[in-house]
Amino acid sequence: MQTAGQKTIRFAEKGLYAVMHHIIGKDAFVIVESTVQNDTDEAVDVWVDLHMHQLIDNGAEQMDEEPGIKAAGAVKLRIAARAVQKVRTQICVGDAVLWNPDAPVLYVVEGVLYRAVKEGEALPNPRLLAGMALEEPHAMKMLDFAETHFGMRTVTVDAKNGLCINGKSVKLRGDGECSAKEASFGQQYQTLLQYRNKGNNAICKRGGQLSESFLECCSRLGVFVLEAPEIVENIRDHRNYPCVIAWMGENIDTEKIHIQDESREIGGICNSGYGMDEAKCFSMDKWLAHTEDVCAGWSIQGCPKEYTAYRQAHALFPNRVMFAATDEPDVVWEMVEKYPYLIGAVASY
């Protein structure tokens, strides 16, 4: 590890990103993206050593790790001077436990950045050195360490099957009575636990930025988040959290969301007010005129509060998926359960 002020080779900020690519039987195949930053004046060869552990939710800010490494891998990259470079590698996780709202199991991916140096300058890493053809005796010097939590799960959404997590249909429910303003991790955790125990499993956050500790709590407790990022960097910072299932294109341009996170986003949500007329009633004319340019290419959309509007909106755009934007999920829940294209009833705050 270099000291402050030295020219460094290190993981970039938020330099590890993990997402499950596919699953075959009990084997989950995870893509880990590592971003490395070289602040020195020379091109270098470095190795990223990766290993993964399953986590135990103990209710505390720091989670416990289950004994044993669940998966491991290593990847080499050559990075130019004064450059930032990404590299991806695939890791197989045997007997994988998938994240879902009823069993929100999390894993941690830990990455160690190494560079080959002459023997005697650092302690060797036998696992990395095995099979490497080096011209002379070398050891591996540790340069940096990074880690990230994530959950293994698949998300699909369409008008025929609705929202599916790991191939299983899920309906979103949230009464909106959940404040994200608590100061401590423990307060946030307890607030969300009470929210979950009331039968809620989703939060729609339109204004203000959600803290990473709040998203960590949501991921641990199986609470889905529909988030309107304040800046595009929020997408990068929050994409590892399995609770985040959709980005809302309200605060930033929807094209920027697509560009930032093409492999992760599943949909967008337009402002539900676009379909309302001056009397706050559903308007077919406004729905046709004002929603397609916002929602085209997206999968999810908020729908006005009038309980007859969902079928009208579905008739206009049969391939769209909607959620009911209402503070009273109980009132509309019979319709939510009846129509697959209506994936939930969620109040926003």
Side-chain angles (χ1 to χ4, degrees):
M1 303 285 285
Q2 290 99 338
T3 59
Q6 285 185 312
K7 294 180 179 180
T8 59
I9 306 164
R10 65 183 188 277
F11 286 112
E13 185 180 1
K14 306 293 180 183
L16 286 184
Y17 167 48
V19 62
M20 188 177 77
H21 186 265
H22 64 282
I23 185 166
I24 300 177
K26 294 184 177 181
D27 294 332
F29 294 85
V30 175
I31 300 296
V32 180
E33 179 184 278
S34 306
T35 304
V36 180
Q37 183 167 339
N38 180 9
D39 292 334
T40 71
D41 297 321
E42 61 175 329
V44 294
D45 292 326
V46 294
W47 284 263
V48 180
D49 187 25
L50 300 165
H51 50 277
M52 189 182 304
H53 298 269
Q54 188 173 325
L55 295 170
I56 302 170
D57 187 1
N58 52 16
E61 189 166 1
Q62 298 296 324
M63 298 181 72
D64 297 325
E65 292 184 2
E66 282 197 350
I69 296 175
K70 301 300 181 183
V75 61
K76 177 186 176 182
L77 72 152
R78 182 165 183 81
I79 180 168
R82 301 289 179 179
V84 176
Q85 187 170 326
K86 294 180 180 180
V87 62
R88 287 189 164 197
T89 187
Q90 182 171 271
I91 297 177
C92 177
V93 185
D95 294 320
V97 182
L98 301 188
W99 185 97
N100 67 76
D102 297 320
V105 174
L106 296 178
Y107 287 76
V108 58
V109 176
E110 298 172 341
V112 184
L113 187 63
Y114 287 98
R115 181 182 182 184
V117 295
K118 290 184 178 180
E119 195 171 31
E121 293 184 28
L123 294 175
N125 182 324
R127 193 174 74 80
L128 271 182
L129 288 175
M132 290 185 179
L134 299 174
E135 294 180 359
E136 55 182 294
H138 276 70
M140 303 301 289
K141 181 179 180 181
M142 179 179 171
L143 302 176
D144 201 6
F145 172 85
E147 67 176 21
T148 188
H149 294 179
F150 84 110
M152 289 184 284
R153 49 95 174 124
T154 60
V155 180
T156 59
V157 60
D158 61 74
K160 183 177 180 180
N161 301 287
L163 172 67
C164 293
I165 306 297
N166 306 322
K168 182 179 179 181
S169 177
V170 173
K171 295 290 187 177
L172 305 178
R173 184 187 183 98
D175 60 19
E177 296 180 6
C178 184
S179 173
K181 297 179 180 178
E182 288 79 5
S184 71
F185 180 91
Q187 288 174 317
Q188 292 176 345
Y189 189 95
Q190 290 302 317
T191 297
L192 279 164
L193 181 60
Q194 294 171 14
Y195 185 76
R196 192 75 169 91
N197 289 339
K198 288 194 301 180
N200 296 300
N201 71 347
I203 288 172
C204 181
K205 180 63 173 172
R206 293 185 182 275
Q209 184 174 328
L210 288 172
S211 69
E212 295 199 32
S213 61
F214 188 80
L215 292 173
E216 173 86 8
C217 292
C218 289
S219 294
R220 292 196 199 183
L221 295 169
V223 178
F224 295 108
V225 176
L226 310 164
E227 183 182 6
E230 294 284 301
I231 53 177
V232 292
E233 285 76 16
N234 291 155
I235 299 172
R236 178 204 65 188
D237 295 346
H238 297 171
R239 61 183 180 169
N240 265 341
Y241 295 101
C243 64
V244 180
I245 59 166
W247 308 112
M248 296 189 285
E250 294 183 345
N251 298 327
I252 60 176
D253 188 275
T254 53
E255 288 302 317
K256 291 183 179 179
I257 295 178
H258 278 293
I259 292 169
Q260 283 284 316
D261 205 25
E262 291 178 343
S263 65
R264 172 68 166 73
E265 63 89 8
I266 65 160
I269 303 169
C270 83
N271 187 322
S272 59
Y274 277 118
M276 311 288 278
D277 62 18
E278 288 72 14
K280 298 299 181 183
C281 297
F282 178 75
S283 166
M284 280 196 180
D285 290 340
K286 287 205 169 187
W287 195 258
L288 286 166
H290 297 297
T291 65
E292 184 63 6
D293 57 342
V294 177
C295 298
W298 296 92
S299 304
I300 305 176
Q301 168 185 327
C303 193
K305 297 179 180 180
E306 278 62 30
Y307 306 137
T308 60
Y310 312 121
R311 284 171 291 181
Q312 293 173 294
H314 177 66
L316 290 170
F317 295 102
N319 291 320
R320 285 192 191 169
V321 176
M322 294 170 279
F323 75 93
T326 175
D327 297 333
E328 300 177 312
D330 289 339
V331 176
V332 70
W333 197 252
E334 184 176 343
M335 294 183 67
V336 171
E337 292 186 322
K338 182 177 181 180
Y339 299 115
Y341 59 83
L342 194 57
I343 63 170
V346 187
S348 62
Y349 74 97

